[in-house]
């Protein structure tokens, strides 16, 4: 079961793609006070929250004979790939290290067949990812996409072919992505789909033939289709970017497309689209939230499930066998969120992750034929689940009447009254916060803070109307939603109005800087992590591969010429004389999305006024710090900074 990684970007500024969103439940005050019923847990060492797991990212080979995983290697403790034989009851035999990366962690990887693993590698955080192959038997490593300033990704593993995969990259033109058929053994690469300049996503059929694509002129999108790879693409339908028709994968006769679409509706639905007519037949929709990704079983040639999220992620099942597998797993692992991270070609054995809001969880190999679970291990056993806090859904009303959903995580052992609170706006901004384990949140809560995460307007998954309510609202209604949430916490008596901090990354960093300039009396301390400070310089330094979507960005955020007065009014750097809140700024020097100049400008503006601003810059990082030692430094500085200005109740040592 897999879904096609259709990659039509919408200029998200967040670190990690977030899951679809949903309604939340207002928590009665009685329930908010339950965290006080147990003793204050001991202070957990900072490094335990952010160090690499000893063993995680388990994957299984196509034939089920090998188990791979990542663990730290060398004095740098970089995540590298290891492999071991997999028996019927447990991994067995020699553990072999397959990669030797020393500069940066490997972010993720996958199996190609039975002998080859593919992983992504960038350089100093510049996000110019190469696809690299490593042979599981010999350890031979081959860069499949060599070149300078090239960004590549696997778009189809071609499971029916022993050596070939489809890779998309912008090596020919940095603004656009072509598709190549690449042999993972020899590295031989053949161009199979050349981008004329306006294609922002490609969709292969189940035989690996590139037969659908999506174009953009900046504000309108067109779905293209062709019967054969030798044919010319023909337009199927065109929509304004506000309407979304996202191809997921072909039907199993390779004639139609499964899509997630909000054409003519507010909430996105699962549908099947006929490219001959452009007509959609809706298969399933949720009344309150958007449908997210669709999945399928290749072995059974069946549409498997649709993902969605109310206050937590869930699935709608289309196929009985998929439902049976998850129901059996849920019965064995009650209360946990279950996901399948890897599976064999016959889909009998699979790696299952069981997680929750209080734990990164345990990994298992499940055999669906024998209904047996093989425990591989807990990801972060040094973080006791019973000492972590529950992430509780909350709901409030914005000043203009919108229902805003979010999460509140309360420190254990303290009553929900007059707490120091850290407001944590998410990145994106067209992403969302989701229920699940978050080491940043648990770290701050362990230090005695309540953490408030709000899915302000524009957060995804709540439907088109809620998303569109964010257009041209940076620093305006989007920021008001955050402010309204803070005022709600104060009114409920949860937050001490004199001890409220704000911390965000990427767009969340912008919201942090907007918070201390537009509402200078609200926050007692602020941390901006790779945050936008100047709307004009930000839009002038976007990566070249965002260029085809620039006009859409102008529609959603503002035009630097037509909306000059507005953009200046919501650019924190031009309002720096209002800042009186202590500020900590962190930035990666090689960030391609939020250029280092964004942080330089705000720090310089403050220092010119004689206002101190702590500033952490890492030359070997990009859009967020990936390396352990840099994370330790950043979170250590944050810990000291918030403790100084917000004075939380100390936990026992």
């Amino acid at each position: 079961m897999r879904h096609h990684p259709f990659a039509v970007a919408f200029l998200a500024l967040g670190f990690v793609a977030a899951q679809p969103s949903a309604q939340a439940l207002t928590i009665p005050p009685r329930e908010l006070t339950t965290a006080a019923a147990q003793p204050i847990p001991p202070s957990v060492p900072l490094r335990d929250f952010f160090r690499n797991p000893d063993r995680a990212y388990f994957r299984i080979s196509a034939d089920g004979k090998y188990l791979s995983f990542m663990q730290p290697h060398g004095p740098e403790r970089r995540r590298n790939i290891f492999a071991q034989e997999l028996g019927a009851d447990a991994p067995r035999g020699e553990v072999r290290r397959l990669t030797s990366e020393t500069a940066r962690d490997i972010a993720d990887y996958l199996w190609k067949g039975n002998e080859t693993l593919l992983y992504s590698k960038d350089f100093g955080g510049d996000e110019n990812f190469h696809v690299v192959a490593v042979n599981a038997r010999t350890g031979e490593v081959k860069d499949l996409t060599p070149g300078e300033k090239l960004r590549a990704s696997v778009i189809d593993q071609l499971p029916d072919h022993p050596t070939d995969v489809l890779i998309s990259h912008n090596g020919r033109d940095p603004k656009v992505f072509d598709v190549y058929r690449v042999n993972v053994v020899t590295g031989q690469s053949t161009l199979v789909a050349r981008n004329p300049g306006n294609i922002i996503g490609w969709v292969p059929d189940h035989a690996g033939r590139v037969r659908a694509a999506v174009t953009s002129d900046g504000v309108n999108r067109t779905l293209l289709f062709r019967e054969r790879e030798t044919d010319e693409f023909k337009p199927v339908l065109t929509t304004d970017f506000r309407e979304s028709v996202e191809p997921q994968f072909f039907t199993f006769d390779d004639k139609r497309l499964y899509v997630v679409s909000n054409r003519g509706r507010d909430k996105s639905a699962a549908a099947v689209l006929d490219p001959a007519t452009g007509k959609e037949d809706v298969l399933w929709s949720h009344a309150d939230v958007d449908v997210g990704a669709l999945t399928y079983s290749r072995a059974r040639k069946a549409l498997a499930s649709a993902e969605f999220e109310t206050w937590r992620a869930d699935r709608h099942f289309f196929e009985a066998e998929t439902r049976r597998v998850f129901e059996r797993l849920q019965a064995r692992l009650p209360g946990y969120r279950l996901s399948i991270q890897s599976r064999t070609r016959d889909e009998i054995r699979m790696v299952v992750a069981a997680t929750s809001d209080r734990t990164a969880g345990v990994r298992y190999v499940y055999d669906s034929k024998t209904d047996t679970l093989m425990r591989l291990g807990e990801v972060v056993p040094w973080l006791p689940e019973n000492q972590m806090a529950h992430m509780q859904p909350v709901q409030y009303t914005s000043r203009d009447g919108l229902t805003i959903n979010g999460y509140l995580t309360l420190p254990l052992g303290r009553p929900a009254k007059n707490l120091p609170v850290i407001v944590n706006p998410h990145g994106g901004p067209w992403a969302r916060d989701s229920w699940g384990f978050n080491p940043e949140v648990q770290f701050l809560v362990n230090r005695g803070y309540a953490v408030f995460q709000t899915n302000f307007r524009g957060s995804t998954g709540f439907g088109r109307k809620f998303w569109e309510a964010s257009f041209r609202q940076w620093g305006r209604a989007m920021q008001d939603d955050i402010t309204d949430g803070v005022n709600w916490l104060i009114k409920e008596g949860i937050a001490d109005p004199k001890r409220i901090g704000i911390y965000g990354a990427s767009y969340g960093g912008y919201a942090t800087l907007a918070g201390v300039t537009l509402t200078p009396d609200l926050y007692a301390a602020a941390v901006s992590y790779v945050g936008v400070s100047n709307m004009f310089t930000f839009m002038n330094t976007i990566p070249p591969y965002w260029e085809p979507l620039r006009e859409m960005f102008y529609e959603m955020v503002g035009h630097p010429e037509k909306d000059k007065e507005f953009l200046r009014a919501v650019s924190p750097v031009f309002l720096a004389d209002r800042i009186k809140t202590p500020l900590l700024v962190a930035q990666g020097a090689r960030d391609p999305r939020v250029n280092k100049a964004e942080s330089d400008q705000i720090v310089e503006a403050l220092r010119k006024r004689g206002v101190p601003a702590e500033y952490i810059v890492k030359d070997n990082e990009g859009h967020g710090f990936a390396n352990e030692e840099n994370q330790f430094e950043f979170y250590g500085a944050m810990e000291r900074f918030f403790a100084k200005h917000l004075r939380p109740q100390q936990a026992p040592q």
Side-chain angles (χ1 to χ4, degrees):
M1 182 168 25
R2 66 185 179 98
H3 71 271
H4 185 76
F6 181 67
V8 176
F10 50 57
L11 302 176
L13 301 178
F15 295 127
V16 180
Q19 296 178 356
S21 164
Q23 70 187 108
L25 306 173
T26 303
I27 297 180
R30 177 184 58 78
E31 294 186 34
L32 284 174
T33 62
T34 57
Q38 62 188 94
I40 296 175
S43 179
V44 177
L46 178 150
R47 294 189 175 207
D48 284 354
F49 288 99
F50 303 108
R51 64 184 172 102
N52 281 328
D54 292 341
R55 188 171 288 192
Y57 297 87
F58 293 93
R59 305 288 184 263
I60 192 169
S61 63
D63 59 7
K65 293 182 179 179
Y66 291 96
L67 181 74
S68 58
F69 47 86
M70 287 201 284
Q71 64 184 44
H73 169 67
E76 305 89 356
R77 284 184 49 82
R78 301 293 181 243
R79 269 198 316 258
N80 275 275
I81 302 171
F82 293 71
Q84 188 177 15
E85 287 187 16
L86 182 62
D89 302 315
R92 65 189 183 191
E94 178 190 6
V95 174
R96 293 179 293 113
R97 177 172 51 83
L98 302 180
T99 62
S100 303
E101 297 294 338
T102 59
R104 293 176 68 76
D105 289 336
I106 294 174
D108 205 354
Y109 72 101
L110 55 87
W111 279 90
K112 163 60 182 173
N114 304 324
E115 294 188 355
T116 303
L117 299 102
L118 305 176
Y119 67 95
S120 294
K121 174 181 179 178
D122 76 339
F123 305 87
D126 63 3
E127 298 187 9
N128 287 313
F129 292 99
H130 288 203
V131 177
V132 182
V134 57
N135 186 286
R137 287 188 302 103
T138 66
E140 180 184 1
V141 174
K142 183 179 294 294
D143 187 344
L144 300 180
T145 54
E148 295 293 323
K149 296 188 180 301
L150 175 150
R151 180 180 172 94
S153 62
V154 177
I155 66 168
D156 199 311
Q157 297 167 243
L158 302 180
D160 292 331
H161 196 282
T163 61
D164 290 1
V165 295
L166 292 183
I167 293 176
S168 173
H169 67 70
N170 60 344
R172 181 181 60 83
D173 181 339
K175 295 180 181 180
V176 298
F177 294 82
D178 304 314
V179 182
Y180 298 81
R181 192 178 184 106
V182 181
N183 185 301
V184 300
V185 177
T186 66
Q188 181 179 353
S189 178
T190 304
L191 179 68
V192 296
R194 181 184 176 94
N195 197 324
N198 61 348
I199 290 177
I200 58 172
W202 304 94
V203 187
D205 64 16
H206 293 285
R209 300 166 298 196
V210 180
R211 293 181 47 226
V214 173
T215 70
S216 174
D217 64 6
V219 291
N220 296 306
R221 292 182 177 179
T222 299
L223 174 65
L224 305 178
F225 181 82
R226 60 187 179 185
E227 289 291 341
R228 293 170 292 275
E229 276 191 312
T230 54
D231 296 342
E232 294 292 323
F233 278 115
K234 295 181 180 179
V236 175
L237 58 90
T238 298
T239 63
D240 180 278
F241 74 90
R242 291 169 175 81
E243 284 194 309
S244 173
V245 180
E246 298 183 12
Q248 301 287 293
F249 39 80
F250 275 77
T251 55
F252 303 101
D253 59 6
D254 283 332
K255 293 181 178 179
R256 298 184 295 167
L257 286 162
Y258 289 112
V259 300
V260 172
S261 170
N262 68 356
R263 241 194 329 166
R265 62 180 70 89
D266 181 60
K267 305 296 191 297
S268 293
V272 62
L273 183 144
D274 185 346
T277 63
K279 181 184 176 183
E280 293 174 2
D281 292 323
V282 173
L283 301 174
W284 185 79
S285 63
H286 193 285
D288 301 316
V289 299
D290 290 330
V291 170
L294 306 182
T295 69
Y296 71 86
S297 164
R298 185 177 186 88
R300 297 183 297 276
K301 299 188 184 307
L303 180 64
S305 69
E307 298 175 356
F308 66 97
E309 190 170 359
T310 53
W311 67 273
R312 59 181 283 178
D314 206 342
R315 297 176 181 86
H316 170 80
F317 296 105
F318 294 104
E319 190 224 9
E321 177 61 16
T322 301
R323 178 190 294 275
R324 184 184 70 87
V325 165
F326 276 98
E327 286 179 347
R328 283 184 170 184
L329 286 169
Q330 203 70 70
R332 303 278 288 277
L333 302 166
Y336 291 94
R337 166 66 180 163
L338 304 177
S339 59
I340 295 173
Q341 299 187 322
S342 175
R343 63 176 66 214
T344 54
R345 182 177 174 81
D346 59 14
E347 301 181 5
I348 291 175
R349 301 183 90 186
M350 58 202 75
V351 175
V352 176
T355 64
S356 77
D357 55 340
R358 298 199 298 162
T359 178
V362 181
R363 304 297 180 264
Y364 303 88
V365 171
Y366 176 65
D367 189 309
S368 61
K369 189 174 182 179
T370 61
D371 190 28
T372 55
L373 274 176
M374 177 197 305
R375 193 177 194 272
L376 298 175
E378 191 172 352
V379 175
V380 286
W382 49 83
L383 293 178
E385 185 173 352
N386 62 1
Q387 293 181 16
M388 300 294 108
H390 283 294
M391 184 179 182
Q392 304 181 77
V394 295
Q395 189 178 86
Y396 62 95
T397 303
S398 71
R399 65 190 67 181
D400 59 350
L402 285 184
T403 297
I404 308 296
N405 295 284
Y407 298 94
L408 182 63
T409 309
L410 297 170
L412 300 179
R414 292 102 165 162
K417 183 178 181 181
N418 290 326
L419 290 168
V421 174
I422 294 175
V423 180
N424 182 214
H426 64 70
W430 304 295
R432 68 149 291 161
D433 280 316
S434 296
W435 182 90
F437 183 75
N438 184 322
E440 282 188 337
V441 170
Q442 295 295 341
F443 164 63
L444 293 170
V445 169
N446 182 257
R447 295 310 190 254
Y449 308 100
V451 176
F452 179 59
Q453 298 166 279
T454 174
N455 283 315
F456 46 81
R457 70 191 65 203
S459 299
T460 51
F462 297 90
R464 173 179 164 181
K465 183 179 179 181
F466 189 81
W467 173 61
E468 289 184 5
S470 71
F471 290 6
R472 298 175 188 258
Q473 294 299 318
W474 287 40
R476 290 183 171 178
M478 293 169 75
Q479 195 69 30
D480 291 343
D481 290 346
I482 299 170
T483 303
D484 292 345
V486 176
N487 289 331
W488 173 76
L489 289 172
I490 294 171
K491 181 181 177 182
E492 293 291 321
I494 299 165
D496 179 344
K498 295 182 180 180
R499 292 192 296 161
I500 298 174
I502 184 169
Y503 156 60
S506 198
Y507 175 83
Y510 166 81
T512 295
L513 296 175
V516 298
T517 52
L518 299 172
T519 53
D521 297 316
L522 191 60
Y523 300 106
V527 178
S528 172
Y529 190 20
V530 295
V532 175
S533 71
N534 184 328
M535 302 296 285
F536 300 98
T537 54
F538 164 62
M539 284 193 278
N540 285 334
T541 56
I542 63 174
Y545 43 83
W546 284 4
E547 196 63 38
L549 302 174
R550 181 182 287 273
E551 292 299 322
M552 182 182 79
F553 202 35
Y554 290 163
E555 288 284 323
M556 297 173 72
V557 179
H559 194 286
E561 295 299 329
K562 298 175 185 177
D563 302 307
K564 185 179 294 186
E565 185 176 339
F566 157 59
L567 292 179
R568 184 177 180 87
V570 297
S571 292
V573 71
F574 300 122
L575 308 172
D577 59 341
R578 301 183 185 181
I579 297 177
K580 51 188 178 182
T581 306
L583 182 65
L584 167 64
V585 177
Q587 178 70 48
R590 303 193 70 183
D591 190 340
R593 307 190 213 181
V594 178
N595 193 274
K596 178 176 175 288
E598 295 301 308
S599 292
D600 289 346
Q601 291 175 73
I602 197 71
V603 171
E604 182 182 358
L606 290 177
R607 289 176 175 172
K608 280 183 177 179
R609 291 175 49 219
V611 177
E614 295 185 45
Y615 192 19
I616 300 171
V617 179
K618 291 300 173 186
D619 292 334
N620 62 340
E621 297 283 11
H623 198 58
F625 298 168
N627 289 344
E628 263 189 348
E629 65 275 13
N630 295 333
Q631 292 190 49
F632 295 158
E633 181 180 342
F634 169 60
Y635 290 114
M638 180 194 292
E639 179 178 22
R640 293 186 296 273
F641 180 80
F642 279 136
K644 176 181 178 181
H645 298 292
L646 301 184
R647 306 179 311 282
Q649 181 181 356
Q650 295 299 309
Q653 298 299 313

